[in-house]
Amino acid sequence: MPATLAAIFVYPVKSAAGIALDAVELDAFGPRHDRRWLVVDPAGRFMTQRRHPRLALIQPTLGPDTLVLDAPGMPRLTLPLHPPAAAVERVRIWSDDVDAQTAGDEAAHWVSTFLGTPCRLVHMPDSSMRRVSLRYGRPGDRVAFADAYPLLLLSAESLDALNARLAEPLPVNRFRPNLVIRGVGEPHAEDRWRRIRVGSVELEVVKPCARCVITTIDQAAARRAGKEPLRTLATYRRGPKGGVLFGMNAIHRTRGTLRVGDTVEVLAEVR
């Protein structure tokens, strides 16, 4: 049986909850609407679950023309999916200074109230250019507010192998992948991939994903749940620089639509 695309997730607001989709179009930034919104502090620096785990409780919903945000104890917030033109400001994500547009005062009040700290919501317009590192990408490769690359993929077999080592199995949402692929033959087969075709779309698999403390946060409770899975991953997935590796970053080399059930073909592997 060939490997297939088993699940698709997008995360419209960085570090907020994900959305499972049956299909997603790939645009210049990656999966359409993925991490195009970002919560920033008053100085314009990005905020994530690493310091603000309550972000996990913000549940986005994509409508035909709207982004809807729900969170416990909060009124529903509805925003235009394609925000009107607004003044551009510079915000910082990791070491990148990026053009962004404010999502407005209502959105700023909403996220500030829920997170309990002054902050605001910004959107990356189509005109913004955040480049992927040329160490792994090509000139012109772009990414929105994802950590570094347009796509993160993970095989179901890798997650199954990790869960077999844990006292309590973890859901896939701890790892926040865009694509989950099943039928790869063995755990971590994706480590060897360099080019794959998913349906009609070609992806370049560029580097392993080093995992952080967000994997230890219970996404339903928005709190640190202990040292797993990092403690167990460190016993068999430690990288050359000391971090733990799980899943692979990828860059799409063609546009198109990915659909759950698409066949996944490995075009090139590390020799």
Side-chain angles (χ1 to χ4, degrees):
M1 292 288 290
T4 58
L5 183 56
I8 299 169
F9 300 97
V10 296
Y11 309 85
V13 179
K14 184 177 180 66
S15 253
I19 302 171
L21 299 175
D22 293 326
V24 68
E25 178 187 352
L26 298 181
D27 62 19
F29 295 93
R32 190 166 175 80
H33 305 306
D34 187 56
R35 297 175 175 96
R36 292 293 292 271
W37 283 263
L38 176 71
V39 179
V40 297
D41 68 14
R45 295 182 297 253
F46 77 118
M47 296 167 59
T48 73
Q49 289 183 38
R50 294 169 180 87
R51 292 188 178 182
H52 303 277
R54 278 174 63 82
L55 278 163
L57 301 179
I58 297 176
Q59 180 62 64
T61 303
L62 292 170
D65 301 302
T66 58
L67 171 69
V68 177
L69 301 183
D70 288 291
M74 296 295 294
R76 177 167 289 180
L77 177 67
T78 300
L79 301 169
L81 196 52
H82 304 282
V88 171
E89 62 178 297
R90 297 291 275 178
V91 300
R92 171 153 287 210
I93 174 167
W94 297 114
S95 60
D96 295 329
D97 292 314
V98 185
D99 286 344
Q101 297 174 330
T102 180
D105 292 342
E106 181 184 7
H109 178 73
W110 194 93
V111 294
S112 297
T113 300
F114 184 66
L115 296 179
T117 188
C119 55
R120 63 189 189 278
L121 186 66
V122 299
H123 176 262
M124 182 179 285
D126 290 342
S127 58
S128 188
M129 175 60 77
R130 181 179 175 222
R131 292 177 173 85
V132 167
S133 168
L134 290 179
R135 183 177 178 185
Y136 298 102
R138 303 175 186 173
D141 287 343
R142 305 166 76 182
V143 61
F145 290 125
D147 275 352
Y149 298 93
L151 292 143
L152 176 63
L153 62 86
L154 177 68
S155 74
E157 285 81 358
S158 298
L159 180 58
D160 291 345
L162 169 62
N163 279 335
R165 291 171 163 86
L166 297 176
E168 295 185 15
L170 297 178
V172 72
N173 67 7
R174 287 286 189 98
F175 304 96
R176 302 177 69 80
N178 295 113
L179 309 178
V180 180
I181 297 169
R182 181 171 288 283
V184 304
E186 62 182 350
H188 307 292
E190 62 269 29
D191 290 357
R192 301 190 301 271
W193 299 346
R194 285 300 170 261
R195 272 192 313 119
I196 63 174
R197 182 182 294 118
V198 184
S200 63
V201 175
E202 289 194 16
L203 308 179
E204 184 178 357
V205 183
V206 294
K207 72 178 294 289
C209 181
R211 307 315 303 227
C212 72
V213 70
I214 290 178
T215 60
T216 70
I217 295 173
D218 182 328
Q219 297 294 292
R223 58 176 174 80
R224 186 94 175 258
K227 296 182 179 180
E228 296 294 4
L230 295 180
R231 180 169 56 188
T232 294
L233 285 172
T235 66
Y236 74 107
R237 292 292 298 171
R238 194 170 281 282
K241 295 183 179 180
V244 297
L245 308 177
F246 197 69
M248 297 293 289
N249 292 292
I251 302 170
H252 52 306
R253 291 296 169 218
T254 58
R255 304 275 187 96
T257 300
L258 304 177
R259 295 178 174 84
V260 170
D262 278 348
T263 297
V264 178
E265 179 184 1
V266 179
L267 303 177
E269 291 187 305
V270 174
R271 295 186 180 276

